[in-house]
């Protein structure tokens, strides 16, 4: 059996300790551990440090990170690394902490830029932390009664003291697919993308819809094509803010593609040789970035997977 494809932001090496983080006494013990480390983010940007093998996440003692933040609601328990506790804290505000209290420790880097240079493990840990902090910012109040919520379980749950409702991090499923007809694949372009960029088609799965149904609906809406078969390839956590990209190869009934001019301004068919040139950077069309599952799908199709 082939090993599963690990796209960027997948493959987190930490033991999440999901069965133990519900115990506040155990969490307190982990935070008191002198070996406890923390990843630091500034408004979603992880702190990176230079290393001989390339940029990597910068880790600081949890006690130092707590001095910077001073707010338990901006702290997460990420898991255990070889038995040692690992946390994340987020600094907010307009001032770059790397130019102040964290001077000399590294550079805060936008996550898309960081994903292009970090190891798979570092990108996965940073992506998970960013998604959880984004969720925290959007769920400070109870959706049931409107009362302020409190962070519990190391940041993996929010609780309402007024109505006792519990709120968990949400993940939005997205079908992302490469339509194929004969020996050609279809790429699309959104008007907001960098000049020349084209990519796979994608859209959110709606309530009451299967992955296959969502794939077929999005391709019909965006490109006017009818899906005949759908094949799963791989998935990718996408922390912008918190989606699960479900990668698919979709056979369609014909090649009469028409962009809807709402989601897509252009669609275009590519042979394998043309797609290979796109990936190699020798074509006028620019490929999706290397950390995106859209590129993984295109590479897989070019290689006949």
């Amino acid at each position: 059996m082939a090993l599963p494809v690990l796209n960027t932001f997948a493959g987190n090496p930490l033991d999440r300790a999901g069965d133990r983080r519900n115990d506040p006494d155990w969490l307190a013990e982990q935070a008191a551990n002198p070996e406890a480390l923390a990843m630091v983010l500034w408004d979603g940007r992880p702190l990176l440090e230079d290393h001989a093998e390339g940029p990597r996440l910068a880790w600081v003692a949890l006690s130092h990170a707590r001095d910077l933040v001073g707010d338990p609601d901006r702290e997460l328990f990420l898991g255990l690394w070889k038995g040692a506790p690992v946390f994340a804290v987020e600094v907010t505000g307009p001032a770059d902490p790397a130019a102040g209290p964290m001077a000399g420790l590294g550079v805060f880097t936008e996550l898309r830029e960081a994903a292009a240079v970090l190891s798979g493990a570092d990108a996965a840990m940073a992506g998970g932390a960013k998604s959880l902090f984004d969720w925290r910012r959007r769920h400070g109040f109870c959706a049931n009664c409107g009362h302020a919520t409190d962070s519990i379980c190391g940041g993996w749950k929010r609780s309402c003291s007024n109505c006792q409702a519990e709120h968990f991090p949400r993940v939005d499923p997205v079908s992302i697919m490469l339509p194929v007809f004969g020996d050609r694949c279809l790429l699309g372009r959104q008007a907001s993308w960098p000049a020349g960029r084209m990519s796979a088609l994608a859209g959110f799965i709606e309530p009451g819809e299967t992955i296959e149904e969502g794939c077929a609906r999005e391709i019909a809406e965006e490109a006017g094509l009818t899906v005949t078969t759908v094949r799963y390839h791989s998935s990718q956590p996408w922390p912008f803010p918190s989606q699960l990209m479900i990668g698919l190869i979709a056979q369609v009934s014909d090649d009469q593609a028409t962009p809807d001019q709402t989601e897509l301004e252009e669609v275009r068919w590519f042979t394998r040789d043309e797609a290979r040139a796109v990936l190699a950077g020798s074509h006028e069309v620019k490929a999706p970035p290397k950390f995106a599952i859209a590129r993984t799908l295109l590479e897989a199709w070019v290689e006949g997977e």
Side-chain angles (χ1 to χ4, degrees), residues 187-198 222 258-268:
L187 298 179
R189 170 175 170 75
Q190 293 186 10
S192 61
W193 289 349
R197 170 71 52 78
M198 299 191 82
E222 296 184 3
T258 304
D260 64 352
Q261 298 300 327
T262 300
E263 293 289 336
L264 300 178
E265 67 171 7
E266 179 186 359
V267 292
R268 184 169 169 181

Side-chain angles (χ1 to χ4, degrees), residues 77-102:
F77 170 72
L78 295 182
L80 302 173
W81 174 248
K82 297 181 179 179
V86 176
F87 291 77
V89 299
E90 184 173 50
V91 183
T92 60
D96 184 349
M102 302 201 74

Side-chain angles (χ1 to χ4, degrees), residues 9 17 39 68 70 110 117 125 135 154 156 160 184 229 295 304:
F9 303 120
M39 175 198 316
L68 291 171
E110 200 279 326
V117 297
M125 290 186 287
W135 170 73
W156 291 82
C160 177
R184 292 178 296 163
T229 62
R295 188 184 185 103

Side-chain angles (χ1 to χ4, degrees), residues 245-259:
M245 311 298 286
I246 303 165
L248 310 166
I249 306 292
Q251 298 287 335
V252 295
S253 62
D254 60 75
D255 62 356
Q256 301 305 301
T258 304

Side-chain angles (χ1 to χ4, degrees), residues 175 177 204-205 209-219:
S175 59
M177 49 275 174
F204 289 98
I205 304 294
E209 193 171 53
T210 67
I211 294 170
E212 295 83 357
E213 289 169 342
C215 168
R217 175 182 52 79
E218 288 291 345
I219 289 179

